[in-house]
């Protein structure tokens, strides 16, 4: 008990002890001049502290950081677009169309600003509430200390301070930790960072001719034994939107010359259920992954059994040209869903309304039916980029600079969740538009379908 407390004990001693012992009647009155310790108040403060740390999470801070980063990018993009428009303003239809695009872009930026405003206001409200809460806690603690005759709280605080000083001292003694060896763009499979793209290495018109401007081609990134040298080609033969069979060749030279193809049909006509929709598909493990007709489904076509299994993207994901690839001059229709292969497997790249039309990356588990695995949200607006590809679990995005040049300007590292907008890697084009772009982890080449031509480019790593 407290030595400072004045304790008055009034013991009623019975007159006849022997009698008393028999009766076992003993009264003890304890009087404490100190008021009782308000334990419930301390508990209240403790609860308030844990609530307080719960509401201010770093995640909430990240949300506004992400909004600001995306917004900054959109505004500089808009600025570029306006400059382009001013340069090309010859009072023709093109100018009017571009103006409309800028109008839409402005409306979306306003939308983002409003969201940011709302988030900021929420933060302000939160910080006012927190300030009041902290003040209340402080007042209660001051009040509680009055009861602290044992100086328990005071000593405890002193202990904590000494402990902190000790930790600080220990930390100061430790050598500064080495900087992490993997920088965001350096890659995670032994490849250095991408420094340039050279080529084209090969360049050829498909047997279909120049009117089929949408298509895809490449090699299986994870081929069955014996299929290592096979190449596949899908041309969107109906309205530049739909395809219904996969053409395969036995070697690079046969695909370039267009001889000896084997066709595998997904459906007999198009468009119908399971028809390929849009050009951004990949082949992996002898199955074709693509967006199928009029749905937000990822379709997996098993080339051996010729059967299709599906998995749906999130309900607010864009399809049917809601979030296509685009630039100021062109929108690439039905390119909402992009598929990519890298050293680690297959990914779906799309955009959702809840991520403000910005790019979302989902790992696609290649089971039957396929499943969506880990998912990452970026600040990269889908309609300001022209394509994407993945290398060593890093997403890269391209944008249109002019008819001769496409630029890899953006990366998102899914291992560290860091994104960059400052890459300046150029791809020299032979035709104006790129409809399909994918990376083959086996030969480190980029496979490109560009206005009816099929090309490869070599990625140069540091
Ligand atoms: C943010 O929202 C408040 C309240 O709706 C409004 O008064 C203010 O003008 C807004 N600020 C901006 C920059 O939009
Ligand atoms: C295709 O189906 C067969 C038979 O069910 C199966 O053995 C094979 O693994 C499947 N291929 C893919 C890529 O799922």
């Amino acid at each position: 008990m407290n030595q400072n407390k004045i304790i008055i004990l009034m013991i009623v001693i019975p007159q006849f002890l022997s009698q008393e012992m028999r009766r076992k009647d003993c009264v003890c009155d304890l009087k404490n001049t100190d008021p009782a310790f308000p334990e419930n108040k301390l508990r209240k403060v403790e609860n308030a502290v844990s609530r307080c740390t719960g509401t201010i999470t770093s995640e909430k801070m990240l949300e506004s950081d992400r909004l600001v980063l995306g917004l900054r990018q959109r505004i500089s993009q808009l600025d570029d677009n306006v400059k382009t428009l001013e340069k090309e303003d010859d009072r023709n239809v093109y100018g009017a169309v571009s103006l409309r695009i800028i109008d839409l872009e402005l409306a979306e930026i306003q939308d983002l600003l409003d969201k940011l405003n709302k988030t900021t206001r929420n933060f302000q409200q939160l910080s006012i509430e927190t300030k009041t809460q902290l003040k209340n806690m402080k007042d209660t603690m001051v009040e509680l200390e009055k009861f602290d005759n044992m100086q328990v709280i005071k000593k405890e605080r002193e202990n904590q301070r000494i402990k902190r000083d000790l930790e600080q001292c220990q930390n100061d003694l430790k050598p500064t930790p080495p900087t992490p060896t993997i920088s965001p763009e350096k890659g995670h499979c032994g490849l250095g960072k991408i420094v340039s793209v050279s080529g084209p290495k090969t360049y050829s018109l498909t047997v279909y001719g120049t009117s089929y401007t949408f298509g895809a081609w490449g090699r299986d990134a994870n081929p069955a034994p014996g299929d290592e040298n096979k190449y596949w080609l899908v041309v969107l033969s109906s309205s530049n939107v739909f395809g219904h069979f996969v053409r395969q060749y036995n070697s690079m030279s046969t695909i370039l010359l267009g001889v000896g193809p084997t066709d595998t049909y997904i459906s007999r006509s198009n468009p119908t259920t399971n028809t390929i929709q849009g050009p951004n598909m990949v082949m992996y493990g002898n199955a074709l992954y693509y967006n199928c007709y009029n749905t937000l489904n990822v379709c997996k076509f098993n080339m051996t059994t010729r059967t299709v299994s599906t998995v749906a993207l999130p309900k607010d994901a864009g399809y049917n040209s809601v979030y296509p690839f685009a630039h100021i001059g062109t929108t690439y229709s039905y390119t909402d869903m992009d598929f990519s292969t890298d050293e680690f497997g297959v990914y779906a790249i799309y955009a959702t309304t809840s991520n403000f039309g910005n790019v979302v990356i989902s790992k696609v588990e290649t089971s039957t039916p396929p499943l969506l695995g880990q998912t990452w949200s970026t600040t990269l607006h889908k309609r300001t980029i022209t394509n994407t590809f993945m290398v060593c679990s890093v997403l890269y995005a391209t944008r249109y600079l002019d008819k001769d040049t496409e630029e890899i300007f953006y990366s998102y590292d899914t291992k560290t969740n860091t994104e960059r907008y400052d890459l300046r890697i150029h791809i020299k084009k032979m035709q104006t538009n790129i409809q399909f772009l994918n990376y083959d982890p086996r030969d480190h080449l980029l496979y490109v379908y560009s206005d009816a031509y099929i090309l490869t480019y070599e990625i140069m790593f540091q």
Side-chain angles (χ1 to χ4, degrees):
M1 274 251 69
N2 193 337
Q3 72 264 31
N4 297 336
K5 279 181 185 167
I6 304 155
I7 297 162
I8 301 167
L9 282 171
M10 279 191 352
I11 297 171
V12 181
I13 301 167
Q15 269 177 326
F16 305 102
L17 198 62
S18 56
Q19 228 178 335
E20 177 51 36
M21 281 173 86
R22 248 180 281 126
R23 288 204 296 136
K24 293 196 171 160
D25 189 4
C26 180
V27 179
C28 178
D29 193 1
L30 171 68
K31 271 200 185 139
N32 187 348
T33 54
D34 278 356
F37 185 80
E39 214 179 309
N40 59 332
K41 278 197 183 168
L42 182 62
R43 204 158 295 140
K44 258 189 206 147
V45 174
E46 281 169 356
N47 287 342
V49 169
S50 63
R51 260 205 316 279
C52 199
T53 39
T55 44
I56 308 175
T57 59
S58 56
E59 239 164 74
K60 287 200 178 149
M61 296 314 250
L62 269 179
E63 185 187 323
S64 68
D65 282 354
R66 272 169 30 72
L67 277 172
V68 171
L69 184 60
L71 199 55
R72 201 180 294 148
Q73 179 59 25
R74 296 287 292 278
I75 288 169
S76 84
Q77 181 89 37
L78 181 66
D79 193 39
D80 288 351
N81 286 353
V82 171
K83 284 200 191 98
T84 310
L85 184 62
E86 279 168 356
K87 248 194 336 228
E88 292 174 358
D89 181 22
D90 48 1
R91 303 183 196 292
N92 62 7
V93 178
Y94 179 70
V97 170
S98 304
L99 205 57
R100 178 74 193 124
I101 291 170
I102 285 171
D103 243 21
L104 288 172
E105 180 69 2
L106 260 179
E108 278 183 26
I109 286 176
Q110 186 55 51
D111 215 40
L112 272 175
L113 271 175
D114 290 346
K115 291 220 168 78
L116 188 63
N117 187 7
K118 196 160 154 252
T119 315
T120 314
R121 261 183 290 131
N122 284 346
F123 276 135
Q124 275 167 359
Q125 188 54 34
L126 198 64
S127 85
I128 290 167
E129 276 169 20
T130 310
K131 217 159 108 192
T132 320
Q133 233 172 4
L134 280 175
K135 182 161 183 323
N136 287 346
M137 282 192 251
K138 196 172 147 228
D139 291 349
T140 317
M141 286 314 279
V142 168
E143 199 188 313
L144 283 176
E145 271 179 51
K146 289 201 197 110
F147 291 94
D148 188 23
N149 294 320
M150 284 280 280
Q151 309 227 305
V152 176
I153 294 176
K154 210 166 147 193
K155 282 277 189 300
E156 172 96 342
R157 204 167 338 121
E158 211 167 302
N159 274 345
Q160 271 173 0
R161 191 178 54 75
I162 292 169
K163 222 160 118 187
R164 255 204 317 276
D165 287 352
L166 189 65
E167 271 166 18
Q168 181 64 44
C169 192
Q170 278 171 339
N171 284 343
D172 289 350
L173 281 176
K174 272 187 214 150
T176 41
T179 45
T181 46
I182 295 174
S183 66
E185 75 286 15
K186 203 162 183 188
H188 305 285
C189 25
L191 299 168
K193 75 172 189 186
I194 296 178
V195 285
S196 65
V197 171
S198 75
K201 197 167 177 265
T202 60
Y203 170 55
S204 168
L205 185 64
T206 76
V207 287
Y208 294 86
T210 51
S211 44
Y212 294 95
T213 51
F214 279 69
W217 77 298
R219 293 199 303 171
D220 191 326
N222 180 31
D227 286 349
E228 290 87 352
N229 292 321
K230 273 192 185 169
Y231 288 78
W232 60 271
L233 170 70
V234 172
V235 168
L236 303 186
S237 52
S238 171
S239 323
N240 281 328
V241 178
F242 308 112
H244 59 134
F245 67 94
V246 184
R247 179 159 281 191
Q248 282 178 303
Y249 294 89
N250 284 326
S251 66
M252 179 64 108
S253 48
T254 51
I255 193 171
L256 294 183
L257 295 170
V259 295
T262 311
D263 292 341
T264 306
Y265 282 80
I266 295 173
S267 55
R268 278 292 143 193
S269 64
N270 61 37
T272 180
T273 314
N274 298 334
T275 294
I276 299 166
Q277 173 170 293
N280 290 296
M281 65 204 88
V282 294
M283 180 84 80
Y284 188 90
N286 211 25
L288 189 78
Y289 294 83
Y290 60 99
N291 177 206
C292 40
Y293 175 60
N294 201 29
T295 68
L296 47 68
N297 285 346
V298 171
C299 273
K300 175 189 175 187
F301 176 67
N302 184 326
M303 293 285 290
T304 316
T305 58
R306 298 181 188 187
T307 49
V308 174
S309 55
T310 66
V311 61
L313 290 186
K315 284 204 166 51
D316 65 339
Y319 69 103
N320 288 352
S321 295
V322 171
Y323 298 123
F325 290 133
H327 62 88
I328 185 163
T330 306
T331 294
Y332 299 102
S333 53
Y334 297 91
T335 54
D336 304 71
M337 232 177 271
D338 187 11
F339 292 90
S340 292
T341 53
D342 74 356
E343 288 75 1
F344 301 102
V346 180
Y347 303 81
I349 290 108
Y350 53 97
T352 61
T353 305
S354 55
N355 197 34
F356 317 116
N358 294 332
V359 166
V360 175
I361 310 163
S362 285
K363 189 86 201 311
V364 176
E365 306 304 339
T366 55
S367 50
T368 306
L371 298 168
L372 293 189
Q374 201 175 347
T375 293
W376 299 267
S377 296
T378 76
T379 67
L380 176 67
H381 195 56
K382 178 101 184 336
R383 287 209 265 121
T384 61
I385 61 172
T386 50
N387 226 297
T388 69
F389 62 96
M390 301 274 307
V391 179
C392 293
S393 67
V394 177
L395 175 90
Y396 294 89
T398 58
R399 68 178 163 202
Y400 178 94
L401 285 192
D402 56 46
K403 70 176 183 35
D404 300 314
T405 315
E406 208 82 351
E407 182 184 58
I408 301 168
F409 75 105
Y410 172 90
S411 68
Y412 186 98
D413 188 326
T414 60
K415 291 274 201 272
T416 61
N417 298 331
T418 46
E419 47 189 346
R420 297 186 52 160
Y421 280 95
D422 59 353
L423 309 186
R424 304 250 182 283
I425 303 163
H426 288 180
I427 301 174
K428 185 181 176 301
K429 287 184 290 188
M430 305 299 283
Q431 258 66 35
T432 307
N433 298 296
I434 289 178
Q435 288 82 11
F436 164 87
L437 177 62
N438 191 41
Y439 164 76
D440 183 344
R442 291 197 290 138
D443 55 20
H444 301 163
L445 295 182
L446 283 177
Y447 285 76
V448 173
Y449 194 104
S450 174
D451 291 337
Y453 288 81
I454 54 174
L455 306 90
T456 56
Y457 291 85
E458 197 164 357
I459 298 185
M460 313 306 275
F461 296 95
Q462 202 170 42

